[in-house]
Amino acid sequence: MNIHVHPLVVLRAALVIFTVAIVHTELFVELRVFDVAPDPFVLIAVAAGLTAGPDRGAAMGFAAGLTFDLFLPTPFGLSALVYCITGYLVGQVENTLVRPAWWISGVFAAGGTAFGVTGYVLVGELLGQKHLLSDLPDVLGVTVLYNAVLAPLVVRVIAWVWRAAEDAPRPLRVDRVLN
């Protein structure tokens, strides 16, 4: 994995993840359906994989998951691991598309969220978190629906994060000037 990250990308990514953490803790926990709050952090991983490929999807998924782990009673690093894998796999699948359609972000959000939530529950079960499996149907339904609806907005925001490196001025290379 070879990721060159522009400092402005890191700043924008931190700003987005911090903002999502605030929105999650202050708003989304109040928007519970069947006593399940939405999970926008897995959507960050999915959107990063969709907009920037597997390596950046994995990196952004890890950062978002690690942040989400700060708010959860489950083992620290569980979300980071699963969301890292989710972002990577969504990026791999996205690379196989010839021409993505406008509606694809909702489909990827639904599929990626389903994979991430199911992976979180299964790995959590392996780590002794026996209470997760019983809630899976409700959690899966609510988070997939929320994330499919939020996907167009979040994909645009994550695309803005990665565009920072493209918009930044390029340093002048001496070998280009001399030739």
Side-chain angles (χ1 to χ4, degrees):
M1 187 180 338
N2 183 12
I3 301 176
H4 172 72
V5 182
H6 192 278
L8 191 53
V9 169
V10 174
L11 183 65
R12 285 183 180 186
L15 176 67
V16 167
I17 291 171
F18 180 72
T19 302
V20 166
I22 290 172
V23 169
H24 176 72
T25 57
E26 296 299 322
L27 177 65
F28 284 175
V29 294
E30 301 298 327
L31 297 176
R32 293 180 178 273
V33 176
F34 302 119
D35 203 32
V36 176
D39 179 0
F41 294 96
V42 71
L43 184 55
I44 291 173
V46 170
L50 187 60
T51 59
D55 292 344
R56 290 178 174 179
M60 193 81 163
F62 182 80
L66 205 58
T67 303
F68 195 31
D69 281 330
L70 295 172
F71 302 101
L72 298 174
T74 52
F76 190 75
L78 178 58
S79 297
L81 170 67
V82 173
Y83 296 175
C84 175
I85 294 168
T86 301
Y88 181 83
L89 290 177
V90 168
Q92 286 289 60
V93 172
E94 189 277 334
N95 280 342
T96 65
L97 295 177
V98 176
R99 193 185 81 148
W102 65 268
W103 47 267
I104 204 76
S105 66
V107 172
F108 269 88
T113 298
F115 177 83
V117 168
T118 304
Y120 180 86
V121 168
L122 293 178
V123 173
E125 285 286 322
L126 289 174
L127 296 175
Q129 303 295 306
K130 299 298 180 197
H131 64 282
L132 297 176
L133 196 55
S134 62
D135 297 333
L136 182 59
D138 290 341
V139 172
L140 200 56
V142 170
T143 55
V144 165
L145 184 61
Y146 266 115
N147 287 355
V149 170
L150 292 173
L153 172 67
V154 174
V155 165
R156 285 181 180 256
V157 170
I158 299 301
W160 169 78
V161 167
W162 296 112
R163 205 169 30 251
E166 298 165 8
D167 295 343
R170 306 257 187 251
L172 185 61
R173 289 186 45 191
V174 175
D175 61 336
R176 287 188 186 161
V177 175
L178 297 176
N179 292 332

